[in-house]
Amino acid sequence: MIDGTVGMGGHAEAVLAASGEDVRLLGLDADPDALRQAAERLARFGDRVRLVHANFRDVRRVAREHAVGEARSVVLDLGVSSFQLDESGRGFSFQRDEPLDMRLDPTRGETAADLLNHLDEETVARIIHEHGEERYARRIARTIVRRRPLRTTGELVAAVRAAVPRAAWPRRTHVATRTFQALRMAVNDETGALRQTLQEIPGLLAVGGRLGVISFHSGEDRIVKQTFRALDSAGYVELEPSPLTPGDDEVRANPRARSAKLRVLERTA
């Protein structure tokens, strides 16, 4: 099994605990802090587990380096974890005043502050609109540029609040939700990584092997759906019903799961 977003090891632990000794896990994650926690959580499985600090877009290279020719299953759980939102201190959440970082891998790349403070207004607006589907993207971008430099999540939240008319604030979600999502996706090139990975993973599946992708954003789910449909005539089939969504009990237990969608692709030939 390959877990391309092993995170803190929740999915991996469940699969390994329910599987025989012959099942082994290759887990990847871009976040070294999450990877350390996964290593502690999965330590009881010994040499059945190999963990690698890498983005899932590098899955083919990592699989080759660890002599994995075929996988019975691959899972990608997109987005951010509760740990990253609540404890990482990297500015993923609008509910805390933290540095505007938003990098899944804090060892490389530009931060959200870097992007917001150097990109032109049109590009900031495009990012917020395309990745966040925010109708007030232009107004938000204009306010951000006027208030630069922005260094903390609190300053970004204040800019969004000032830009969006009070009557247009969503009732069920925070007014800055879409902007934060958009910036995180841009900082980590999440759409580009997903497109690249979905081209590489099918070739890693054994016949009968399955790829499961959990997305939380309509744009990402659209990419997964289109990719799976394109593979339909090439020896792969998307399993039904699709997409699978969480039930009421799961949403009550974990409100952050309310927008999750799972699609599963099986290699048939």
Side-chain angles (χ1 to χ4, degrees):
M1 174 187 177
I2 298 175
D3 190 337
T5 49
V6 72
M8 290 168 37
H11 288 148
E13 182 181 40
V15 171
L16 290 167
S19 304
E21 292 293 320
D22 60 327
V23 174
R24 297 177 180 271
L25 171 85
L26 176 60
L28 290 68
D29 206 279
D31 188 335
D33 293 335
L35 209 59
R36 281 190 286 271
Q37 296 189 53
E40 294 178 8
R41 185 172 191 168
L42 302 175
R44 64 188 175 104
F45 298 105
D47 61 6
R48 294 174 63 193
V49 176
R50 284 171 286 176
L51 299 178
V52 181
H53 178 212
N55 189 287
F56 60 71
R57 75 193 312 160
D58 298 318
V59 63
R60 197 173 192 87
R61 172 185 61 78
V62 172
R64 183 173 58 251
E65 290 175 351
H66 289 266
V68 177
E70 291 184 329
R72 294 295 300 173
S73 65
V74 181
V75 63
L76 298 176
D77 186 359
L78 308 178
V80 289
S81 67
S82 293
F83 160 74
Q84 287 163 328
L85 286 168
D86 299 335
E87 301 178 45
S88 72
R90 284 182 240 143
F92 290 110
S93 174
F94 42 74
Q95 296 178 329
R96 291 166 177 76
D97 194 18
E98 299 172 342
L100 267 174
D101 190 318
M102 295 194 188
R103 291 173 298 171
L104 295 173
D105 183 350
T107 68
R108 66 187 68 186
E110 292 186 303
T111 68
D114 292 332
L115 295 184
L116 289 180
N117 293 327
H118 296 100
L119 294 178
D120 59 76
E121 181 180 318
E122 182 178 350
T123 303
V124 173
R126 178 178 55 77
I127 287 172
I128 297 172
H129 176 70
E130 290 185 359
H131 294 304
E133 299 177 334
E134 169 61 67
R135 62 179 295 198
Y136 291 100
R138 290 190 178 278
R139 295 179 61 155
I140 293 171
R142 189 177 308 122
T143 303
I144 286 171
V145 170
R146 287 174 178 171
R147 295 185 175 209
R148 292 198 298 205
L150 272 63
R151 298 185 178 89
T152 68
T153 54
E155 291 172 342
L156 178 56
V157 168
V160 175
R161 286 177 178 269
V164 179
R166 184 65 180 84
W169 289 16
R171 294 185 178 182
R172 298 182 61 186
T173 59
H174 193 283
V175 65
T177 298
R178 293 177 181 272
T179 299
F180 270 68
Q181 171 186 280
L183 288 173
R184 187 206 77 225
M185 293 179 69
V187 166
N188 297 287
D189 187 26
E190 293 178 33
T191 299
L194 178 61
R195 289 186 186 277
Q196 178 181 335
T197 306
L198 289 178
Q199 296 301 314
E200 297 189 351
I201 286 180
L204 287 173
L205 293 176
V207 175
R210 295 178 176 181
L211 162 63
V213 184
I214 303 170
S215 62
F216 296 83
H217 177 263
S218 60
E220 290 178 329
D221 180 62
R222 192 177 307 118
I223 292 170
V224 177
K225 178 174 65 175
Q226 291 171 349
T227 303
F228 284 9
R229 286 183 177 176
L231 290 167
D232 191 55
S233 60
Y236 300 86
V237 62
E238 182 176 2
L239 302 187
E240 298 292 341
S242 186
L244 289 172
T245 56
D248 293 340
D249 290 343
E250 184 175 355
V251 172
R252 279 193 290 270
N254 179 19
R256 287 172 177 163
R258 65 183 179 273
S259 59
K261 293 181 179 180
L262 168 65
R263 294 183 185 273
V264 180
L265 183 76
E266 180 175 309
R267 184 171 187 175
T268 57

